[in-house]
mmCIF file of all heavy atoms in Angstrom:
data_model
loop_
_atom_site.group_PDB
_atom_site.id
_atom_site.type_symbol
_atom_site.label_atom_id
_atom_site.label_comp_id
_atom_site.label_asym_id
_atom_site.label_seq_id
_atom_site.Cartn_x
_atom_site.Cartn_y
_atom_site.Cartn_z
ATOM 1 N N PRO G 1 17.191 -38.850 65.823
ATOM 2 C CA PRO G 1 16.842 -37.481 65.410
ATOM 3 C C PRO G 1 17.641 -36.962 64.194
ATOM 4 O O PRO G 1 17.065 -36.251 63.359
ATOM 5 C CB PRO G 1 17.211 -36.649 66.646
ATOM 6 C CG PRO G 1 17.102 -37.629 67.763
ATOM 7 C CD PRO G 1 17.599 -38.872 67.231
ATOM 8 N N THR G 2 18.885 -37.437 64.076
ATOM 9 C CA THR G 2 19.662 -37.037 62.867
ATOM 10 C C THR G 2 19.138 -37.671 61.585
ATOM 11 O O THR G 2 18.980 -37.004 60.571
ATOM 12 C CB THR G 2 21.113 -37.411 63.092
ATOM 13 O OG1 THR G 2 21.657 -36.721 64.241
ATOM 14 C CG2 THR G 2 21.924 -37.028 61.889
ATOM 15 N N VAL G 3 18.810 -38.952 61.670
ATOM 16 C CA VAL G 3 18.290 -39.620 60.501
ATOM 17 C C VAL G 3 16.931 -38.991 60.103
ATOM 18 O O VAL G 3 16.659 -38.823 58.935
ATOM 19 C CB VAL G 3 18.148 -41.134 60.798
ATOM 20 C CG1 VAL G 3 17.417 -41.839 59.644
ATOM 21 C CG2 VAL G 3 19.462 -41.800 61.098
ATOM 22 N N ALA G 4 16.139 -38.665 61.092
ATOM 23 C CA ALA G 4 14.849 -38.040 60.808
ATOM 24 C C ALA G 4 15.024 -36.651 60.160
ATOM 25 O O ALA G 4 14.279 -36.300 59.226
ATOM 26 C CB ALA G 4 13.980 -37.925 62.073
ATOM 27 N N TYR G 5 16.041 -35.945 60.654
ATOM 28 C CA TYR G 5 16.295 -34.596 60.145
ATOM 29 C C TYR G 5 16.759 -34.705 58.655
ATOM 30 O O TYR G 5 16.257 -33.946 57.787
ATOM 31 C CB TYR G 5 17.404 -33.920 60.965
ATOM 32 C CG TYR G 5 17.740 -32.510 60.625
ATOM 33 C CD1 TYR G 5 16.968 -31.488 61.076
ATOM 34 C CD2 TYR G 5 18.843 -32.200 59.783
ATOM 35 C CE1 TYR G 5 17.241 -30.180 60.791
ATOM 36 C CE2 TYR G 5 19.139 -30.900 59.529
ATOM 37 C CZ TYR G 5 18.290 -29.856 59.956
ATOM 38 O OH TYR G 5 18.606 -28.563 59.652
ATOM 39 N N ILE G 6 17.681 -35.617 58.379
ATOM 40 C CA ILE G 6 18.112 -35.763 56.988
ATOM 41 C C ILE G 6 16.931 -36.230 56.126
ATOM 42 O O ILE G 6 16.790 -35.774 54.982
ATOM 43 C CB ILE G 6 19.291 -36.812 56.932
ATOM 44 C CG1 ILE G 6 20.533 -36.212 57.649
ATOM 45 C CG2 ILE G 6 19.641 -37.130 55.498
ATOM 46 C CD1 ILE G 6 21.660 -37.220 57.789
ATOM 47 N N GLY G 7 16.149 -37.160 56.630
ATOM 48 C CA GLY G 7 15.041 -37.681 55.900
ATOM 49 C C GLY G 7 13.986 -36.590 55.560
ATOM 50 O O GLY G 7 13.453 -36.613 54.413
ATOM 51 N N TRP G 8 13.691 -35.711 56.472
ATOM 52 C CA TRP G 8 12.674 -34.760 56.268
ATOM 53 C C TRP G 8 13.119 -33.728 55.235
ATOM 54 O O TRP G 8 12.354 -33.299 54.346
ATOM 55 C CB TRP G 8 12.334 -34.062 57.533
ATOM 56 C CG TRP G 8 11.381 -32.833 57.325
ATOM 57 C CD1 TRP G 8 11.637 -31.533 57.547
ATOM 58 C CD2 TRP G 8 10.097 -32.847 56.764
ATOM 59 N NE1 TRP G 8 10.618 -30.740 57.222
ATOM 60 C CE2 TRP G 8 9.655 -31.487 56.704
ATOM 61 C CE3 TRP G 8 9.238 -33.835 56.296
ATOM 62 C CZ2 TRP G 8 8.411 -31.126 56.221
ATOM 63 C CZ3 TRP G 8 8.008 -33.518 55.769
ATOM 64 C CH2 TRP G 8 7.596 -32.138 55.745
ATOM 65 N N PHE G 9 14.406 -33.296 55.299
ATOM 66 C CA PHE G 9 14.819 -32.268 54.390
ATOM 67 C C PHE G 9 15.232 -32.806 53.050
ATOM 68 O O PHE G 9 16.464 -32.867 52.682
ATOM 69 C CB PHE G 9 15.915 -31.428 55.025
ATOM 70 C CG PHE G 9 15.315 -30.450 56.046
ATOM 71 C CD1 PHE G 9 15.511 -30.643 57.412
ATOM 72 C CD2 PHE G 9 14.525 -29.393 55.618
ATOM 73 C CE1 PHE G 9 14.945 -29.803 58.275
ATOM 74 C CE2 PHE G 9 13.945 -28.556 56.557
ATOM 75 C CZ PHE G 9 14.133 -28.772 57.875
ATOM 76 N N GLY G 10 14.211 -33.214 52.283
ATOM 77 C CA GLY G 10 14.368 -33.621 50.896
ATOM 78 C C GLY G 10 13.332 -32.848 50.046
ATOM 79 O O GLY G 10 12.449 -33.440 49.476
ATOM 80 N N PRO G 11 13.430 -31.469 50.038
ATOM 81 C CA PRO G 11 12.500 -30.668 49.310
ATOM 82 C C PRO G 11 12.433 -31.013 47.818
ATOM 83 O O PRO G 11 13.477 -31.309 47.231
ATOM 84 C CB PRO G 11 12.960 -29.232 49.540
ATOM 85 C CG PRO G 11 13.942 -29.370 50.644
ATOM 86 C CD PRO G 11 14.536 -30.633 50.584
ATOM 87 N N ARG G 12 11.264 -30.916 47.194
ATOM 88 C CA ARG G 12 11.162 -31.104 45.745
ATOM 89 C C ARG G 12 11.027 -29.700 45.156
ATOM 90 O O ARG G 12 10.302 -28.883 45.607
ATOM 91 C CB ARG G 12 9.937 -31.937 45.397
ATOM 92 C CG ARG G 12 9.810 -33.223 46.156
ATOM 93 C CD ARG G 12 11.100 -34.127 46.108
ATOM 94 N NE ARG G 12 10.776 -35.478 46.445
ATOM 95 C CZ ARG G 12 10.735 -35.927 47.714
ATOM 96 N NH1 ARG G 12 10.892 -35.121 48.728
ATOM 97 N NH2 ARG G 12 10.419 -37.175 47.906
ATOM 98 N N GLY G 13 11.728 -29.498 44.002
ATOM 99 C CA GLY G 13 11.737 -28.207 43.474
ATOM 100 C C GLY G 13 11.895 -28.124 41.924
ATOM 101 O O GLY G 13 11.225 -28.803 41.171
ATOM 102 N N LEU G 14 12.997 -27.419 41.466
ATOM 103 C CA LEU G 14 13.160 -27.045 40.080
ATOM 104 C C LEU G 14 13.255 -28.302 39.154
ATOM 105 O O LEU G 14 12.580 -28.341 38.147
ATOM 106 C CB LEU G 14 14.377 -26.185 39.944
ATOM 107 C CG LEU G 14 14.669 -25.724 38.502
ATOM 108 C CD1 LEU G 14 13.557 -24.817 37.973
ATOM 109 C CD2 LEU G 14 15.999 -25.064 38.429
ATOM 110 N N ALA G 15 14.065 -29.256 39.577
ATOM 111 C CA ALA G 15 14.253 -30.432 38.710
ATOM 112 C C ALA G 15 12.895 -31.169 38.466
ATOM 113 O O ALA G 15 12.595 -31.566 37.325
ATOM 114 C CB ALA G 15 15.254 -31.381 39.328
ATOM 115 N N SER G 16 12.095 -31.337 39.492
ATOM 116 C CA SER G 16 10.796 -31.977 39.326
ATOM 117 C C SER G 16 9.884 -31.169 38.415
ATOM 118 O O SER G 16 9.134 -31.726 37.593
ATOM 119 C CB SER G 16 10.119 -32.129 40.734
ATOM 120 O OG SER G 16 10.917 -33.006 41.542
ATOM 121 N N VAL G 17 9.935 -29.863 38.546
ATOM 122 C CA VAL G 17 9.105 -29.012 37.650
ATOM 123 C C VAL G 17 9.514 -29.184 36.211
ATOM 124 O O VAL G 17 8.721 -29.331 35.299
ATOM 125 C CB VAL G 17 9.256 -27.496 38.083
ATOM 126 C CG1 VAL G 17 8.506 -26.651 37.030
ATOM 127 C CG2 VAL G 17 8.622 -27.303 39.449
ATOM 128 N N VAL G 18 10.839 -29.208 35.939
ATOM 129 C CA VAL G 18 11.362 -29.344 34.560
ATOM 130 C C VAL G 18 10.946 -30.696 33.994
ATOM 131 O O VAL G 18 10.440 -30.793 32.866
ATOM 132 C CB VAL G 18 12.858 -29.101 34.495
ATOM 133 C CG1 VAL G 18 13.327 -29.361 33.103
ATOM 134 C CG2 VAL G 18 13.227 -27.726 34.932
ATOM 135 N N PHE G 19 11.159 -31.743 34.751
ATOM 136 C CA PHE G 19 10.843 -33.054 34.317
ATOM 137 C C PHE G 19 9.357 -33.235 34.007
ATOM 138 O O PHE G 19 8.939 -33.834 33.042
ATOM 139 C CB PHE G 19 11.314 -34.139 35.334
ATOM 140 C CG PHE G 19 12.793 -34.164 35.500
ATOM 141 C CD1 PHE G 19 13.279 -34.759 36.709
ATOM 142 C CD2 PHE G 19 13.662 -33.673 34.664
ATOM 143 C CE1 PHE G 19 14.672 -34.801 36.943
ATOM 144 C CE2 PHE G 19 15.035 -33.722 34.876
ATOM 145 C CZ PHE G 19 15.524 -34.300 36.017
ATOM 146 N N GLY G 20 8.572 -32.582 34.900
ATOM 147 C CA GLY G 20 7.124 -32.627 34.692
ATOM 148 C C GLY G 20 6.678 -31.967 33.376
ATOM 149 O O GLY G 20 5.820 -32.345 32.688
ATOM 150 N N LEU G 21 7.333 -30.808 33.098
ATOM 151 C CA LEU G 21 7.039 -30.102 31.881
ATOM 152 C C LEU G 21 7.428 -30.899 30.652
ATOM 153 O O LEU G 21 6.790 -30.879 29.609
ATOM 154 C CB LEU G 21 7.744 -28.717 31.872
ATOM 155 C CG LEU G 21 7.102 -27.617 32.694
ATOM 156 C CD1 LEU G 21 8.002 -26.381 32.765
ATOM 157 C CD2 LEU G 21 5.756 -27.263 32.151
ATOM 158 N N LEU G 22 8.562 -31.567 30.717
ATOM 159 C CA LEU G 22 9.070 -32.390 29.604
ATOM 160 C C LEU G 22 8.051 -33.540 29.367
ATOM 161 O O LEU G 22 7.793 -33.857 28.164
ATOM 162 C CB LEU G 22 10.437 -32.928 29.899
ATOM 163 C CG LEU G 22 11.579 -31.938 29.940
ATOM 164 C CD1 LEU G 22 12.875 -32.598 30.360
ATOM 165 C CD2 LEU G 22 11.703 -31.150 28.676
ATOM 166 N N VAL G 23 7.531 -34.109 30.393
ATOM 167 C CA VAL G 23 6.522 -35.166 30.235
ATOM 168 C C VAL G 23 5.280 -34.641 29.568
ATOM 169 O O VAL G 23 4.609 -35.300 28.792
ATOM 170 C CB VAL G 23 6.254 -35.857 31.602
ATOM 171 C CG1 VAL G 23 4.996 -36.725 31.524
ATOM 172 C CG2 VAL G 23 7.498 -36.670 32.040
ATOM 173 N N ALA G 24 4.884 -33.424 29.970
ATOM 174 C CA ALA G 24 3.671 -32.823 29.461
ATOM 175 C C ALA G 24 3.681 -32.696 27.945
ATOM 176 O O ALA G 24 2.668 -32.631 27.287
ATOM 177 C CB ALA G 24 3.413 -31.445 30.067
ATOM 178 N N GLU G 25 4.922 -32.571 27.362
ATOM 179 C CA GLU G 25 5.012 -32.458 25.914
ATOM 180 C C GLU G 25 5.099 -33.843 25.191
ATOM 181 O O GLU G 25 5.201 -33.813 23.993
ATOM 182 C CB GLU G 25 6.232 -31.601 25.573
ATOM 183 C CG GLU G 25 6.112 -30.154 26.122
ATOM 184 C CD GLU G 25 7.241 -29.287 25.635
ATOM 185 O OE1 GLU G 25 8.200 -29.824 25.011
ATOM 186 O OE2 GLU G 25 7.160 -28.068 25.847
ATOM 187 N N GLU G 26 5.120 -34.825 25.959
ATOM 188 C CA GLU G 26 5.191 -36.197 25.314
ATOM 189 C C GLU G 26 3.847 -36.742 25.057
ATOM 190 O O GLU G 26 2.819 -36.227 25.606
ATOM 191 C CB GLU G 26 5.948 -37.141 26.265
ATOM 192 C CG GLU G 26 7.426 -36.763 26.548
ATOM 193 C CD GLU G 26 8.306 -36.975 25.309
ATOM 194 O OE1 GLU G 26 7.832 -37.603 24.349
ATOM 195 O OE2 GLU G 26 9.452 -36.488 25.305
ATOM 196 N N ASN G 27 3.719 -37.715 24.221
ATOM 197 C CA ASN G 27 2.479 -38.312 23.865
ATOM 198 C C ASN G 27 2.072 -39.406 24.883
ATOM 199 O O ASN G 27 2.181 -40.621 24.660
ATOM 200 C CB ASN G 27 2.591 -38.963 22.461
ATOM 201 C CG ASN G 27 1.291 -39.584 21.976
ATOM 202 O OD1 ASN G 27 0.185 -39.085 22.387
ATOM 203 N ND2 ASN G 27 1.354 -40.562 21.127
ATOM 204 N N LEU G 28 1.657 -38.963 26.100
ATOM 205 C CA LEU G 28 1.290 -39.843 27.170
ATOM 206 C C LEU G 28 -0.157 -39.622 27.513
ATOM 207 O O LEU G 28 -0.614 -38.495 27.726
ATOM 208 C CB LEU G 28 2.128 -39.573 28.409
ATOM 209 C CG LEU G 28 3.638 -39.722 28.276
ATOM 210 C CD1 LEU G 28 4.305 -39.428 29.616
ATOM 211 C CD2 LEU G 28 4.026 -41.131 27.822
ATOM 212 N N HIS G 29 -0.940 -40.727 27.660
ATOM 213 C CA HIS G 29 -2.321 -40.576 27.973
ATOM 214 C C HIS G 29 -2.486 -40.137 29.472
ATOM 215 O O HIS G 29 -3.502 -39.509 29.805
ATOM 216 C CB HIS G 29 -3.087 -41.867 27.732
ATOM 217 C CG HIS G 29 -2.951 -42.832 28.889
ATOM 218 N ND1 HIS G 29 -1.855 -43.648 29.041
ATOM 219 C CD2 HIS G 29 -3.827 -43.163 29.869
ATOM 220 C CE1 HIS G 29 -2.057 -44.417 30.094
ATOM 221 N NE2 HIS G 29 -3.232 -44.134 30.634
ATOM 222 N N GLY G 30 -1.480 -40.402 30.253
ATOM 223 C CA GLY G 30 -1.540 -39.950 31.676
ATOM 224 C C GLY G 30 -0.824 -38.683 31.982
ATOM 225 O O GLY G 30 -0.517 -38.439 33.184
ATOM 226 N N ALA G 31 -0.483 -37.881 30.976
ATOM 227 C CA ALA G 31 0.341 -36.704 31.204
ATOM 228 C C ALA G 31 -0.269 -35.679 32.103
ATOM 229 O O ALA G 31 0.338 -35.076 32.981
ATOM 230 C CB ALA G 31 0.660 -36.056 29.846
ATOM 231 N N ASP G 32 -1.627 -35.553 31.964
ATOM 232 C CA ASP G 32 -2.330 -34.576 32.861
ATOM 233 C C ASP G 32 -2.255 -35.009 34.295
ATOM 234 O O ASP G 32 -1.987 -34.154 35.196
ATOM 235 C CB ASP G 32 -3.821 -34.419 32.434
ATOM 236 C CG ASP G 32 -3.962 -33.651 31.127
ATOM 237 O OD1 ASP G 32 -2.978 -32.954 30.739
ATOM 238 O OD2 ASP G 32 -5.018 -33.771 30.508
ATOM 239 N N LEU G 33 -2.493 -36.271 34.599
ATOM 240 C CA LEU G 33 -2.447 -36.741 35.947
ATOM 241 C C LEU G 33 -1.019 -36.607 36.555
ATOM 242 O O LEU G 33 -0.859 -36.160 37.678
ATOM 243 C CB LEU G 33 -2.913 -38.188 36.049
ATOM 244 C CG LEU G 33 -2.882 -38.865 37.404
ATOM 245 C CD1 LEU G 33 -3.633 -38.069 38.438
ATOM 246 C CD2 LEU G 33 -3.398 -40.314 37.334
ATOM 247 N N ILE G 34 -0.039 -37.010 35.710
ATOM 248 C CA ILE G 34 1.355 -36.878 36.166
ATOM 249 C C ILE G 34 1.650 -35.371 36.453
ATOM 250 O O ILE G 34 2.266 -35.109 37.553
ATOM 251 C CB ILE G 34 2.333 -37.374 35.117
ATOM 252 C CG1 ILE G 34 2.122 -38.893 34.937
ATOM 253 C CG2 ILE G 34 3.752 -37.063 35.486
ATOM 254 C CD1 ILE G 34 2.931 -39.504 33.769
ATOM 255 N N GLY G 35 1.222 -34.475 35.612
ATOM 256 C CA GLY G 35 1.469 -33.111 35.868
ATOM 257 C C GLY G 35 0.821 -32.598 37.135
ATOM 258 O O GLY G 35 1.420 -31.779 37.894
ATOM 259 N N HIS G 36 -0.410 -33.015 37.467
ATOM 260 C CA HIS G 36 -1.088 -32.611 38.666
ATOM 261 C C HIS G 36 -0.391 -33.165 39.858
ATOM 262 O O HIS G 36 -0.200 -32.453 40.870
ATOM 263 C CB HIS G 36 -2.539 -33.098 38.641
ATOM 264 C CG HIS G 36 -3.356 -32.474 37.515
ATOM 265 N ND1 HIS G 36 -4.466 -33.060 36.933
ATOM 266 C CD2 HIS G 36 -3.193 -31.250 36.845
ATOM 267 C CE1 HIS G 36 -4.971 -32.259 35.999
ATOM 268 N NE2 HIS G 36 -4.224 -31.184 35.993
ATOM 269 N N VAL G 37 0.035 -34.443 39.832
ATOM 270 C CA VAL G 37 0.772 -34.978 41.012
ATOM 271 C C VAL G 37 2.059 -34.243 41.274
ATOM 272 O O VAL G 37 2.369 -33.911 42.407
ATOM 273 C CB VAL G 37 1.050 -36.499 40.718
ATOM 274 C CG1 VAL G 37 1.919 -37.083 41.861
ATOM 275 C CG2 VAL G 37 -0.233 -37.271 40.713
ATOM 276 N N VAL G 38 2.814 -33.994 40.193
ATOM 277 C CA VAL G 38 4.056 -33.268 40.332
ATOM 278 C C VAL G 38 3.811 -31.859 40.947
ATOM 279 O O VAL G 38 4.506 -31.417 41.868
ATOM 280 C CB VAL G 38 4.799 -33.140 39.012
ATOM 281 C CG1 VAL G 38 6.036 -32.274 39.130
ATOM 282 C CG2 VAL G 38 5.252 -34.600 38.609
ATOM 283 N N ALA G 39 2.843 -31.159 40.356
ATOM 284 C CA ALA G 39 2.578 -29.786 40.803
ATOM 285 C C ALA G 39 2.177 -29.739 42.259
ATOM 286 O O ALA G 39 2.661 -28.895 43.047
ATOM 287 C CB ALA G 39 1.493 -29.151 39.904
ATOM 288 N N ILE G 40 1.268 -30.585 42.692
ATOM 289 C CA ILE G 40 0.788 -30.590 44.074
ATOM 290 C C ILE G 40 1.942 -30.968 45.029
ATOM 291 O O ILE G 40 2.101 -30.385 46.082
ATOM 292 C CB ILE G 40 -0.365 -31.585 44.236
ATOM 293 C CG1 ILE G 40 -1.586 -31.096 43.422
ATOM 294 C CG2 ILE G 40 -0.780 -31.726 45.707
ATOM 295 C CD1 ILE G 40 -2.111 -29.739 43.801
ATOM 296 N N THR G 41 2.727 -31.954 44.614
ATOM 297 C CA THR G 41 3.834 -32.390 45.525
ATOM 298 C C THR G 41 4.866 -31.293 45.718
ATOM 299 O O THR G 41 5.313 -30.986 46.819
ATOM 300 C CB THR G 41 4.532 -33.611 44.976
ATOM 301 O OG1 THR G 41 3.551 -34.664 44.768
ATOM 302 C CG2 THR G 41 5.613 -34.130 45.882
ATOM 303 N N VAL G 42 5.264 -30.628 44.592
ATOM 304 C CA VAL G 42 6.231 -29.524 44.683
ATOM 305 C C VAL G 42 5.596 -28.387 45.474
ATOM 306 O O VAL G 42 6.290 -27.739 46.329
ATOM 307 C CB VAL G 42 6.654 -29.073 43.271
ATOM 308 C CG1 VAL G 42 7.523 -27.774 43.337
ATOM 309 C CG2 VAL G 42 7.389 -30.182 42.572
ATOM 310 N N GLY G 43 4.347 -28.027 45.194
ATOM 311 C CA GLY G 43 3.717 -26.953 45.954
ATOM 312 C C GLY G 43 3.699 -27.231 47.480
ATOM 313 O O GLY G 43 3.935 -26.325 48.277
ATOM 314 N N LEU G 44 3.307 -28.452 47.819
ATOM 315 C CA LEU G 44 3.296 -28.850 49.189
ATOM 316 C C LEU G 44 4.689 -28.799 49.843
ATOM 317 O O LEU G 44 4.841 -28.350 50.997
ATOM 318 C CB LEU G 44 2.692 -30.232 49.362
ATOM 319 C CG LEU G 44 2.408 -30.786 50.793
ATOM 320 C CD1 LEU G 44 1.389 -29.851 51.454
ATOM 321 C CD2 LEU G 44 1.926 -32.165 50.802
ATOM 322 N N SER G 45 5.657 -29.204 49.093
ATOM 323 C CA SER G 45 7.032 -29.149 49.577
ATOM 324 C C SER G 45 7.532 -27.745 49.806
ATOM 325 O O SER G 45 8.146 -27.408 50.818
ATOM 326 C CB SER G 45 7.988 -29.835 48.544
ATOM 327 O OG SER G 45 9.331 -29.753 48.972
ATOM 328 N N VAL G 46 7.221 -26.827 48.833
ATOM 329 C CA VAL G 46 7.556 -25.451 49.025
ATOM 330 C C VAL G 46 7.002 -24.874 50.358
ATOM 331 O O VAL G 46 7.679 -24.193 51.132
ATOM 332 C CB VAL G 46 7.055 -24.575 47.803
ATOM 333 C CG1 VAL G 46 7.113 -23.084 48.123
ATOM 334 C CG2 VAL G 46 7.842 -24.911 46.561
ATOM 335 N N LEU G 47 5.745 -25.251 50.597
ATOM 336 C CA LEU G 47 5.055 -24.754 51.851
ATOM 337 C C LEU G 47 5.690 -25.376 53.101
ATOM 338 O O LEU G 47 6.088 -24.688 54.026
ATOM 339 C CB LEU G 47 3.575 -25.028 51.788
ATOM 340 C CG LEU G 47 2.728 -24.668 52.925
ATOM 341 C CD1 LEU G 47 2.809 -23.151 53.272
ATOM 342 C CD2 LEU G 47 1.324 -25.173 52.830
ATOM 343 N N LEU G 48 5.737 -26.723 53.110
ATOM 344 C CA LEU G 48 6.174 -27.396 54.395
ATOM 345 C C LEU G 48 7.636 -27.269 54.616
ATOM 346 O O LEU G 48 8.019 -26.951 55.779
ATOM 347 C CB LEU G 48 5.745 -28.875 54.239
ATOM 348 C CG LEU G 48 4.213 -29.154 54.209
ATOM 349 C CD1 LEU G 48 3.988 -30.692 54.149
ATOM 350 C CD2 LEU G 48 3.529 -28.523 55.387
#
């Protein structure tokens, strides 16, 4: 139960948002997809 508790509480937040924004400004053909994945993951983390 302790390992599961530590494992679950790994929320994604500010750092992921900043890194995602930095990638959005780079010349990457997959920048939009990366941005969507990061946004949905952080949003789901905020909720759950």
Side-chain angles (χ1 to χ4, degrees):
T2 299
V3 175
Y5 185 81
I6 294 174
W8 171 244
F9 283 108
R12 310 309 198 276
L14 180 65
S16 296
V17 173
V18 175
F19 297 160
L21 282 171
L22 294 177
V23 168
E25 297 188 351
E26 298 288 349
N27 184 26
L28 301 180
H29 83 280
D32 288 341
L33 178 57
I34 294 174
H36 295 154
V37 172
V38 171
I40 295 299
T41 304
V42 173
L44 188 63
S45 178
V46 167
L47 176 63
L48 296 182

